[in-house]
Amino acid sequence: DLVVLLPAVGGDRSFWAPQVEALSATHEVLALDLVRPAAEVSMAAFADDVAAAIERAGYARAHVVGLSM
């Protein structure tokens, strides 16, 4: 299974370092940085970015964990 970790607004994937380390023993883990130019920021755009990252990782679905989003 793939676990995708999303940062809080203004955060980055480094927040999830302890969880990435712990989960990596049993799952594939993808901690994302969601970065877009201000004019392109929207929840729909972020959702597209997450879906594309899941697909690039070779998965059709994932467990998604977010903080603040």
Side-chain angles (χ1 to χ4, degrees), residues 16-66:
W16 295 108
Q19 290 81 7
V20 169
E21 184 178 341
L23 290 168
S24 291
T26 56
H27 296 79
E28 183 163 348
V29 182
L30 185 59
L32 299 179
D33 288 327
L34 298 176
V35 180
R36 290 181 153 267
E40 297 177 15
V41 170
S42 72
M43 292 310 283
F46 285 148
D48 290 343
D49 293 345
V50 172
I54 292 168
E55 189 173 300
R56 279 192 307 275
Y59 288 83
R61 61 186 183 179
H63 302 280
V64 179
V65 181

Side-chain angles (χ1 to χ4, degrees), residues 7-9 66-69:
V9 173
L67 176 67
S68 171
M69 293 251 227

